[in-house]
Amino acid sequence: MAHRSLAEGLDLNYTTEILMKIVLSATALVSIACSVLANAPTDPSESVHQLPELVVTASLWESELGRATNSVTAFDEAQMSQSNNRHFQDLIDAIPNLTWTGGTSRPRYLQIRGIGENSQFEGETPDSSVRFLIDDLDLTGLGTIGNLFDIQQVEVLRGPQAGAVGVNAAGGLIKLVSNEPTPYWTGQAEATVGQDNLLGGGLAFGGPLLKNDPEALTFRFSTYQLNSNGFRTNAYLNRDDTNERDEFNSRLKLRWQASSDWAWDGTLFYANANNGYDEWSLGNTDFTIYSDEAGRDEQESKALSLRGAFTDLAGYRFATVTTYTDTHSFYSYDGDWGAGSAATPPSNSFYTDALALRRDREVYSQEMRLDSEPSSPAGCMDRWTVGFYTQGLEEVGKARWTTGGYRWNTDFNSKAYALFGQIGKNLSTKDRLTLQLRGEYYEMKVQADGLGPDDSFAPIVAFDYALDNSEFLWGGTLTYEHDIDATALGFLSLSRGYKAGGASTPNFTKNDQIKYDAEILWTAEAGLRKRLLNGALSTGLTAFYLYRDNPQFRDSKGAGSFFDYITVNGKSAKHYGIESDASWVIDSNWKLSANLGLMKATRQAYANNESREVANAPSYTYSLRLDYMHGNGFFANSTLAGSDAYYESNSHDQKRSSYAILNGAFGYRLNNWTLTVWGRNLLDKKFEKRIFYFDNTYDGNDSRYENPADPQQFGATLNYKW
């Protein structure tokens, strides 16, 4: 698609061009759907199959998905298991205006509506624009461990969430919600095999711990192990597992009903990913690699949370949430992507170097809040919440290069203290007004020291930085909602989000752009949620306009393995578009689901970068899914998902290719057993999951290097539930 200026906006020709691409890509699935549409019930007396309602938990106030007054995508456990979605990575293509950046073994760097970081190399701080939660645990920037086994639902909230969760949510929020303990025995066991030497297995079970009082103390335990080779062959080392995935996840949840008024929920979480990272070649040779030092992408996370709720407060409810996470990671790669100048082609490279980066991160948080009971309004307010939140983060990093004895050390500390509240007022039986506010004091300190080369990469020079920043930030959302009728909800909202300022730690070159200011985001949204066909068809549409003041962009400078990574402020940026979704239970056998994201995101010129579209902001994303379920236990589904081409980075003009991929599955369910045969990227389409554009041969010229997304893969999964 040709690049268009901001002034042209989403005009008729532009929108038509996008829609035509989507229509052409979706023809295969639509033709299948058409064969069943004639059987859809039109007479109200006929049997109508309604959609189950999900409850969105990531907002400050929980709500049914059909009553949510923001742009949300949610998946339940049945949707994910029937398509054999094993990791959050498998869902990304089906979520409007969500992208991710390769460069790691699993998606860790996510962007929503074009907002989000695309890396955390040496010198880049751990602050993020997209918060990633597993239950109450904050694992932002650590999505390697986003396994979906025994996950009840996944929620993606688009747009700034500063009013609800504060910093690290300027782009949006992603939450994985695991299955809760139950007062009766339940569980599941699962085994998966597939191409690429894929082997996976999991076990989850739970129930009452006290026989005479099953409600008093309950638990849920789950564990999962996954192994695969990683779709790469290292021809120099003669190995096919240098890019392996070796991932272990486990979780224990306890619920104690201490009394009729007190309830406690505790979670212990452990994950260990011993993954390889060996994906790049100088000749863009797709899945064949020639490095002599295969990299690693390892992550070990230990976490716990404790949530308490007290209800006997004469019309009020008190809640407290305490969390702690401890993560150790090791990330390394072969910088020259070859075996040195003495090796024979195509294994030869133009220099020899490798980098290893170790990080230790600790995060703690404490939240306390007081909520009104629905039946106990306070004065003119029909519902209210007030609360306090604090979070502390420390990340210690050590980077080492095999060339020149270069080394780099950093210590990043941040603390946040926030007061937040939300009030709701019923203006009439059909109209409501909600105001959410958050005030937050944020402070950060970063220290960095080490030895590195000068601009000519010759003599070793020492560097030592000690920088800090503190500021008061505020954000919130004002929402008006109107019940159009019993089946339709409309809403308007205005939000102020923020991303705190900070400091980069460049280590190889002198740079006066070390500190960067806070970014402020203003977002206006208008939405409509409607149920049709007696509840069988659920639809949602959200239009958004987002203005960014002092937008934060990550830039880089360097060659080979030696780079400075810095964050700088642009002047402004504008993002606008629509997000829509629809789910139709056609009859007892057929279900059709679709979503679409359209977006235009542009930036003003800043520093040495011209005005253009921002990175990670495709003009369109879409998915279309068709499910078939027969009463005899047979089921099948197919999903078509795609994206427009888009800029990879804000510091160069290379674009990832547009793509459309087809996934599918079929299986049979008998009593408690389910066998699923599945395939991903069925047509074996080739497209990039990351592009680098730099000089890795020291000839003075930048070159484009492509990292291909996963190829076609088939497998089978056997699951038993009780």
Side-chain angles (χ1 to χ4, degrees), residues 315-334:
Y316 309 134
R317 290 175 292 166
F318 173 76
T320 173
V321 182
T322 306
T323 73
Y324 173 78
T325 63
D326 180 21
T327 296
H328 306 276
S329 63
F330 176 70
Y331 178 74
S332 67
Y333 58 86
D334 188 318

Side-chain angles (χ1 to χ4, degrees), residues 120-199:
Q120 194 193 351
F121 288 111
E122 64 280 4
E124 294 182 303
T125 54
D127 50 330
S128 179
S129 297
V130 177
R131 180 163 290 197
F132 189 86
L133 303 175
I134 300 180
D135 294 321
D136 289 323
L137 302 171
D138 187 352
L139 293 160
T140 301
L142 303 172
T144 302
I145 55 179
N147 183 275
L148 296 180
F149 179 71
D150 208 42
I151 293 295
Q152 174 184 321
Q153 65 188 54
V154 173
E155 306 166 16
V156 179
L157 279 61
R158 288 175 287 269
Q161 305 297 316
V165 295
V167 294
N168 292 343
L173 183 152
I174 298 167
K175 184 177 182 181
L176 279 58
V177 182
S178 63
N179 282 316
E180 298 289 353
T182 54
Y184 48 88
W185 287 98
T186 182
Q188 61 175 317
E190 183 175 287
T192 293
V193 297
Q195 291 176 298
D196 191 47
N197 278 350
L198 172 66
L199 289 174

Side-chain angles (χ1 to χ4, degrees), residues 369-586:
R369 57 186 280 181
L370 193 63
D371 295 88
S372 66
E373 292 283 2
S375 59
S376 302
C380 63
M381 295 298 106
D382 295 291
R383 185 180 180 186
W384 57 265
T385 293
V386 294
F388 168 78
Y389 177 84
T390 182
Q391 184 193 71
L393 182 152
E394 181 178 18
E395 183 174 271
V396 177
K398 296 180 179 181
R400 299 293 183 266
W401 287 258
T402 58
T403 296
Y406 306 139
R407 64 179 185 269
W408 164 89
N409 307 300
T410 187
D411 189 351
F412 177 91
N413 283 270
S414 69
K415 293 181 180 179
Y417 308 90
L419 294 174
F420 62 89
Q422 184 163 305
I423 55 177
K425 174 63 177 175
N426 295 327
L427 304 178
S428 70
T429 57
K430 293 186 176 182
D431 302 275
R432 293 166 297 281
L433 198 63
T434 303
L435 176 63
Q436 178 188 99
L437 288 174
R438 188 183 192 96
E440 186 160 6
Y441 176 77
Y442 177 84
E443 61 181 20
M444 61 79 65
K445 296 179 181 179
V446 61
Q447 293 180 308
D449 63 78
L451 297 174
D454 63 9
D455 290 341
S456 63
F457 302 100
I460 294 178
V461 296
F463 66 93
D464 192 344
Y465 296 94
L467 302 165
D468 61 82
N469 181 63
S470 62
E471 57 192 324
F472 176 79
L473 301 159
W474 70 273
T477 302
L478 178 64
T479 303
Y480 166 73
E481 54 185 295
H482 172 69
D483 294 328
I484 300 171
D485 57 35
T487 64
L489 169 71
F491 64 88
L492 299 170
S493 67
L494 178 65
S495 301
R496 187 185 196 269
Y498 54 81
K499 188 171 186 293
S504 305
T505 58
N507 51 349
F508 288 145
T509 62
K510 300 296 183 182
N511 194 304
D512 58 1
Q513 290 183 310
I514 295 176
K515 283 194 173 184
Y516 51 91
D517 296 328
E519 174 181 346
I520 305 300
L521 306 93
W522 288 97
T523 304
E525 292 189 356
L528 174 66
R529 298 190 180 278
K530 174 71 174 176
R531 283 185 175 269
L532 302 164
L533 302 178
N534 294 324
L537 174 61
S538 176
T539 63
L541 175 68
T542 303
F544 66 90
Y545 180 90
L546 189 154
Y547 178 81
R548 302 168 65 187
D549 186 26
N550 282 335
Q552 295 177 11
F553 297 122
R554 287 194 170 178
D555 287 341
S556 59
K557 175 185 178 182
S561 297
F562 309 107
F563 268 78
D564 282 341
Y565 300 94
I566 61 173
T567 300
V568 300
N569 289 108
K571 294 180 179 179
S572 68
K574 299 177 183 179
H575 304 228
Y576 56 94
I578 63 172
E579 288 138 359
S580 63
D581 61 85
S583 294
W584 183 14
V585 179
I586 301 169

Side-chain angles (χ1 to χ4, degrees), residues 553-709:
F553 297 122
R554 287 194 170 178
D555 287 341
S556 59
K557 175 185 178 182
S561 297
F562 309 107
F563 268 78
D564 282 341
Y565 300 94
I566 61 173
T567 300
V568 300
N569 289 108
K571 294 180 179 179
S572 68
K574 299 177 183 179
H575 304 228
Y576 56 94
I578 63 172
E579 288 138 359
S580 63
D581 61 85
S583 294
W584 183 14
V585 179
I586 301 169
D587 58 26
S588 60
N589 301 124
W590 294 93
K591 177 182 175 183
L592 184 65
S593 305
N595 66 55
L596 172 67
L598 300 178
M599 178 168 56
K600 189 75 170 179
T602 59
R603 71 185 190 199
Q604 277 192 313
Y606 70 98
N608 296 319
N609 299 294
E610 63 180 8
S611 298
R612 52 152 243 213
E613 294 175 347
V614 302
N616 307 115
S619 297
Y620 64 81
T621 54
Y622 66 91
S623 72
L624 183 64
R625 172 170 169 155
L626 183 64
D627 284 87
Y628 175 77
M629 295 156 284
H630 195 278
N632 64 7
F634 176 79
F635 64 90
N637 59 75
S638 184
T639 302
L640 179 69
S643 170
D644 192 17
Y646 59 91
Y647 287 108
E648 174 70 48
S649 170
N650 286 302
S651 57
H652 62 69
D653 289 334
Q654 298 298 304
K655 284 188 174 185
R656 293 196 210 177
S657 304
S658 60
Y659 66 87
I661 58 172
L662 185 65
N663 303 321
F666 67 90
Y668 185 74
R669 186 176 296 106
L670 179 62
N671 298 325
N672 296 351
W673 293 92
T674 302
L675 175 65
T676 306
V677 179
W678 51 266
R680 301 194 64 81
N681 195 2
L682 293 175
L683 303 181
D684 203 20
K685 294 294 185 180
K686 293 184 178 180
F687 57 100
E688 309 87 13
K689 65 178 181 182
R690 185 68 193 258
I691 293 171
F692 286 146
Y693 186 69
F694 71 111
D695 179 7
N696 203 27
T697 59
Y698 287 108
D699 64 357
N701 297 311
D702 292 339
S703 297
R704 176 185 170 106
Y705 300 105
E706 300 176 349
N707 186 358

